[in-house]
Amino acid sequence: MATVSELTRGAALASLAPTPYQSGDETREQGISKAGNRSIRAMAVEIAWGWLRYQPDSELTRWYNRRFGHGSKRMCKIGIVTLARKLPIALWRYLESGEIPAGAQLKA
């Protein structure tokens, strides 16, 4: 089973790790880091678009559609990057424990 630090390093490599901001009592996220591998980040976004297209009944797709599906073009882009961060976690769970992402359909 992967540890949190391994997943964080993988997210950092793909430039999908959050960049927190802390000043005194204020804590917020500034989005994702752009410091890692650009190709991996682009691939993760493409996989997320593919997930939306080929897994329309999955819980992740329903979440994306509820949250970002009816927004502006900018909100859709923000949403797809968020999905690109969530999807590898769901797929890692599938590889490690066999837990299929909720609502996903496997082809025979």
Side-chain angles (χ1 to χ4, degrees), residues 16-38:
L16 295 172
T19 53
Y21 172 79
Q22 287 183 314
S23 177
D25 292 335
E26 183 181 358
T27 302
R28 62 186 163 98
E29 293 293 330
Q30 294 179 308
I32 62 168
S33 167
K34 299 279 196 299
N37 190 320
R38 185 178 189 184

Side-chain angles (χ1 to χ4, degrees), residues 62-103:
R62 287 195 301 265
W63 168 83
Y64 173 86
N65 289 331
R66 274 193 315 269
R67 187 99 192 261
F68 302 102
H70 302 293
S72 65
K73 187 175 181 179
R74 178 179 180 271
M75 288 306 292
C76 287
K77 286 181 179 181
I78 291 170
I80 203 68
V81 171
T82 305
L83 181 62
R85 287 177 61 188
K86 287 177 161 247
L87 190 56
I89 296 167
L91 296 176
W92 185 265
R93 279 191 197 123
Y94 173 65
L95 291 173
E96 286 290 311
S97 66
E99 177 187 342
I100 298 171

Side-chain angles (χ1 to χ4, degrees), residues 52-64:
L52 291 178
R53 181 174 180 185
Y54 295 109
Q55 294 292 340
D57 298 325
S58 74
E59 184 59 37
L60 285 170
T61 300
R62 287 195 301 265
W63 168 83
Y64 173 86

